[in-house]
């Protein structure tokens, strides 16, 4: 099987390479693609030295079976026809095709079967914040259909890519040395601050990031579950946190919810607040699972439930989710191992 990785030199691209190695993804050959700036750079992929090619409108994707694409929405739109021209399946990590009716939006623990219908030969990876939330929502939705969801996110600097992490680190160093802090990756200083602004603002004064969580959740769950989100950038290097409130058709008890989370693939329960054990981004960084804790009845609304979840958004929120989609398709013999 021949596998391509577009955006190989970025933060998510580097994570793709790690995960493909860790999970021993069955590829005979890897092709790496990037911008003109990164072309020519060599990276080690599964013990093989591969050179990054510049992404162009040519025949480079001929005989490629799967293309993992993580190079931004504009690149995905510009090169989708090039990537899929000869039958390659494009698993796209950008927002370009998430709401396209002919493109499935897939989280393998929630709606894997959607990946079997790909008229455009494209499968979309959801937004990182949506992924970790919707896996936990599915665990509860299996018990009683959810009626509404409220969520506040606490999103790490890495959500803005390598540039975001570098800026937070640079601000910490400059502050320690008494220097002026540079602000480029975010709308305001992130160090010692929180910014209630991720992506651009819509006419409703919700940000695009917040609307993504609303729209994508409904597409993944195949039901009009309203999701009201407030997305906040916090001075954490890696892994997003979310405070979630849910209301279902039937009251959800804490014990029932804990049991549901424990049985849900990809979810780990850390919920012993008296012993100060609960999920935190520092502990979730570099891990595959979505960690859930602080589960309790909502004292403001009878029958509702609130909980806290944390996940590494570069792994489960991006690269890992895409690789799991490909693994599912291999298991279903949609893609043959040659």
């Amino acid at each position: 099987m021949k596998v391509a990785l577009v955006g190989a030199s970025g933060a998510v691209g580097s994570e793709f390479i790690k995960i493909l190695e860790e999970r021993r993804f069955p590829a005979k050959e890897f092709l790496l693609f990037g911008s003109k700036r990164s072309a020519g750079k060599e990276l080690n992929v599964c013990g093989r030295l591969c050179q990054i090619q510049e992404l162009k409108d040519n025949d480079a994707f001929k005989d490629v079976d799967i293309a993992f694409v993580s190079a931004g929405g504009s690149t995905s739109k510009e090169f989708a026809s090039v990537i899929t021209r000869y039958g390659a399946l494009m698993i796209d990590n950008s927002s370009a095709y998430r709401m396209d009716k002919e493109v499935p939006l897939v989280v393998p623990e929630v709606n894997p079967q959607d990946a079997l219908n790909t008229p455009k030969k494209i499968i979309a990876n959801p937004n990182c914040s949506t992924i970790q939330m919707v896996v936990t929502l599915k665990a509860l939705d299996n018990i009683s259909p959810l009626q509404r969801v409220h969520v506040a996110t606490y999103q790490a600097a890495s959500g803005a890519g390598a540039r975001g992490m570098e800026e937070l680190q640079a601000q910490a160093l400059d502050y320690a040395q008494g220097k002026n802090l540079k602000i480029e990756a975010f709308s305001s200083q992130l160090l010692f601050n929180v910014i209630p602004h991720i992506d651009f603002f819509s006419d409703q004064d919700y940000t695009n990031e917040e609307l993504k969580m609303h729209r994508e959740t409904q597409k993944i769950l195949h039901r009009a579950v309203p999701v009201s989100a407030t997305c906040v950038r916090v001075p954490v290097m890696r892994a997003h946190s979310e405070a979630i409130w849910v209301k279902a058709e039937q009251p959800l008890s804490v014990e029932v919810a804990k049991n549901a989370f424990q049985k849900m693939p990809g979810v780990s329960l850390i919920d012993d607040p008296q012993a100060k054990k609960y999920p935190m981004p520092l502990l979730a960084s570099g891990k595959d699972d979505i960690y859930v804790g602080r589960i309790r009845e909502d004292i403001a609304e009878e029958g509702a439930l609130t909980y806290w979840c944390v996940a590494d958004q570069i792994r489960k929120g991006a690269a890992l989710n895409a690789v799991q989609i490909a693994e599912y398709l291999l298991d279903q013999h949609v893609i043959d191992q040659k």
Side-chain angles (χ1 to χ4, degrees), residues 31-303:
L31 299 178
L32 306 183
F33 295 89
S35 64
K36 186 176 183 178
R37 184 181 58 199
S38 60
K41 183 180 179 181
E42 291 186 325
L43 299 175
N44 192 302
V45 185
C46 298
R48 308 165 212 175
L49 203 59
C50 303
Q51 189 175 81
I52 298 177
Q53 305 176 47
E54 183 181 352
L55 186 62
K56 295 181 178 180
D57 186 349
N58 54 24
D59 296 332
F61 289 87
K62 192 173 183 179
D63 298 324
V64 168
D65 297 286
I66 302 173
F68 297 110
V69 181
S70 187
S74 59
T75 299
S76 292
K77 287 183 177 180
E78 181 179 355
F79 289 97
S81 61
V82 175
I83 294 167
T84 60
R85 180 178 293 158
Y86 294 102
L89 179 67
M90 174 176 164
I91 302 179
D92 184 40
N93 195 53
S94 80
S95 62
Y97 293 98
R98 288 175 186 159
M99 300 313 296
D100 188 314
K101 292 180 180 179
E102 294 185 289
V103 175
L105 185 65
V106 178
V107 178
E109 297 90 342
V110 180
N111 63 329
Q113 67 284 348
D114 288 359
L116 302 176
N117 182 25
T118 57
K120 289 188 175 180
K121 298 294 289 183
I122 301 172
I123 298 173
N125 228 25
N127 181 45
C128 53
S129 299
T130 302
I131 289 175
Q132 73 181 77
M133 178 181 71
V134 81
V135 173
T136 66
L137 294 182
K138 179 63 175 174
L140 302 177
D141 193 63
N142 287 337
I143 301 168
S144 178
L146 299 180
Q147 292 182 321
R148 59 181 174 273
V149 177
H150 295 266
V151 57
T153 72
Y154 306 80
Q155 297 180 219
S158 52
R163 184 166 166 253
M165 291 187 283
E166 289 165 3
E167 180 157 304
L168 178 58
Q169 190 171 38
Q171 287 181 354
L173 290 171
D174 288 344
Y175 178 84
Q177 296 171 11
K179 299 179 180 178
N180 292 328
L181 307 188
K182 294 181 181 179
I183 302 168
E184 296 175 349
F186 305 107
S187 60
S188 300
Q189 174 185 321
L190 186 58
L191 184 70
F192 305 136
N193 195 22
V194 296
I195 307 171
H197 175 193
I198 299 175
D199 214 326
F200 62 84
F201 280 96
S202 71
D203 293 340
Q204 305 129 290
D205 285 338
Y206 276 85
T207 66
N208 194 42
E209 184 83 358
E210 293 158 355
L211 293 176
K212 285 177 190 175
M213 298 187 75
H214 172 75
R215 294 166 181 158
E216 292 176 15
T217 299
Q218 294 185 345
K219 183 173 180 179
I220 295 164
L221 294 179
H222 298 285
R223 206 170 69 257
V225 181
V227 177
S228 180
T230 298
C231 295
V232 182
R233 187 75 69 192
V234 298
V236 168
M237 191 61 72
R238 183 164 169 160
H240 290 351
S241 304
E242 298 177 353
I244 301 171
W245 294 259
V246 296
K247 177 74 172 180
E249 289 183 4
Q250 301 297 323
L252 295 169
S253 72
V254 170
E255 289 308 313
V256 166
K258 285 184 178 181
N259 187 53
F261 290 137
Q262 287 176 317
K263 291 180 178 179
M264 189 69 187
V267 173
S268 290
L269 187 67
I270 304 177
D271 192 35
D272 188 358
Q274 299 305 318
K276 300 179 182 178
K277 293 182 180 179
Y278 29 69
M280 292 182 286
L282 193 62
L283 302 177
S285 296
K287 307 288 178 51
D288 289 345
D289 276 5
I290 298 160
Y291 296 88
V292 178
R294 296 295 318 278
I295 304 163
R296 57 207 187 275
E297 294 180 1
D298 188 344
I299 60 174
E301 184 170 7
E302 187 176 354

Side-chain angles (χ1 to χ4, degrees), residues 306-320:
T306 183
Y307 61 95
W308 174 258
C309 80
V310 181
D312 186 324
Q313 91 293 343
I314 300 179
R315 289 186 72 89
K316 181 53 185 171
L320 176 62

